[in-house]
């Protein structure tokens, strides 16, 4: 096998956006619950988490 293929690893480990989605969901749900709008808080948290994860993905992509 070609040694170049075996050693073709990214220079940095990939960033995980799942943590941002999970924390945004939790924070959004708690804030929504405190305002009497749990579902809205959950959905806003989901949207924020996905947006942040996509931004990180685009940034690390190159």
């Amino acid at each position: 096998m070609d040694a170049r293929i075996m050693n073709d690893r990214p220079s940095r480990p990939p960033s995980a956006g799942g943590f941002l989605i999970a924390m945004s969901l939790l924070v959004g749900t708690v804030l929504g619950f405190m305002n009497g709008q749990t579902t809205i808080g959950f959905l806003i948290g989901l949207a924020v988490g996905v947006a942040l994860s996509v931004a990180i993905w685009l940034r690390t992509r190159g």
Side-chain angles (χ1 to χ4, degrees):
M1 295 197 103
D2 190 14
R4 187 173 37 112
I5 294 173
M6 296 300 288
N7 292 327
D8 190 22
R9 297 170 61 163
S11 60
R12 338 181 268 186
S15 299
F19 174 76
L20 291 174
I21 295 173
M23 287 309 298
S24 295
L25 283 171
L26 290 173
V27 170
T29 302
V30 169
L31 292 175
F33 179 75
M34 290 176 10
N35 290 316
Q37 297 291 330
T38 307
T39 304
I40 299 298
F42 178 84
L43 293 174
I44 290 172
L46 177 63
V48 169
V50 168
L52 290 173
S53 294
V54 167
I56 287 176
W57 176 69
L58 289 172
R59 184 173 180 214
T60 59
R61 216 173 132 213

